[in-house]
Amino acid sequence: MARGPFNQTDNMSTTSAITAYPFTVSMWLKTPDGSTSDTAWTLTELPTNDSFGIVQLAGGAIRVSSTNFSVNSGSAVTTNTMSNNTWHHACGIWESASSRSAFIDGADKTTETTNVAANIAGMDEIEIGHFRSNTANDGMEIAELGIWDVTLSDAEIASLGKGFSCHLIRPQSLIHHMPLIRKTIDLRGDITESGTVPVIDHPPIIGAIAA
């Protein structure tokens, strides 16, 4: 089972273990309406709102972004897009302050190199299914969220895009794993649930969903 729909009221968050580059974020997403933008994942620092994020844009492309709230931002955007009511794999790599890459379904890699001096050392919260300033989330469903404190290879991301479990991909560097199965008490990653995020069917995963 996975969780969704997420929205501005019904969502999840956890304390971040990410304080330095590089890092990789992988997740499965499904949306009922690709005509609007939906926030899937953010890493934020309070009170500045410097952030890193994965968003499904209107039209279905995946955007991987870095934002220094008072200065500038940079975003890598996939060419390929999500289809409505279909599970897709999304992945972001933040290699450094001046390199971020977006993937969809294990491929279609796009890299963008704006120098964005976000305060990564002060990042303190991961938000799943929303962002505090975004009121347009349209009911995204999310499954199998994994975060690594390394740069995964293109081949490893392709494996994740085929449905391999996060625990089969460099497990020694997997710092967060949130399978998003059943009830909140079953989740790994010390997640706090706001409101009620329903239980839904999980996309097929090769290997154990949770160790």
Side-chain angles (χ1 to χ4, degrees):
M1 295 296 183
R3 304 298 290 273
F6 287 77
N7 54 53
Q8 196 66 13
T9 302
D10 303 315
N11 50 69
M12 298 176 178
S13 61
T14 188
T15 302
S16 173
I18 301 169
T19 57
Y21 299 106
F23 63 95
T24 301
V25 179
S26 164
M27 58 203 310
W28 286 86
L29 307 175
K30 184 167 71 170
T31 183
D33 182 6
S35 67
T36 60
S37 293
D38 282 344
T39 298
W41 176 90
T42 55
L43 171 64
T44 59
E45 188 268 337
L46 294 175
T48 67
N49 279 339
D50 283 7
S51 64
F52 304 92
I54 296 177
V55 174
Q56 171 252 303
L57 296 173
I62 297 299
R63 181 182 72 195
V64 170
S65 62
S66 305
T67 301
N68 180 328
F69 193 75
S70 62
V71 180
N72 68 340
S73 64
S75 298
V77 179
T78 62
T79 300
N80 295 338
T81 59
M82 292 176 56
S83 301
N84 291 350
N85 299 305
T86 302
W87 284 108
H88 289 271
H89 182 259
C91 185
I93 293 177
W94 287 262
E95 179 72 28
S96 68
S98 58
S99 179
R100 59 209 59 85
S101 299
F103 300 76
I104 186 169
D105 296 330
D108 192 29
K109 181 179 182 180
T110 302
T111 299
E112 195 271 343
T113 57
T114 300
N115 188 9
V116 180
N119 182 22
I120 188 169
M123 292 292 152
D124 51 17
E125 185 173 66
I126 290 170
E127 300 176 43
I128 304 167
H130 79 123
F131 181 61
R132 60 177 58 91
S133 64
N134 177 13
T135 59
N137 197 303
D138 195 45
M140 177 174 282
E141 299 173 4
I142 301 175
E144 190 66 5
L145 171 61
I147 305 175
W148 293 258
D149 60 359
V150 294
T151 299
L152 295 185
S153 69
D154 291 1
E156 289 169 324
I157 292 167
S159 294
L160 290 166
K162 292 175 182 177
F164 282 88
S165 169
C166 294
H167 271 282
L168 300 178
I169 307 297
R170 258 195 268 189
Q172 71 277 12
S173 300
L174 183 63
I175 58 173
H176 287 290
H177 182 211
M178 306 166 191
L180 302 178
I181 55 175
R182 297 186 297 275
K183 300 299 182 182
T184 304
I185 58 173
D186 294 325
L187 304 176
R188 295 170 55 88
D190 193 26
I191 296 174
T192 299
E193 185 170 351
S194 299
T196 301
V197 184
V199 176
I200 57 172
D201 288 339
H202 203 286
I205 297 296
I206 302 168
I209 291 177

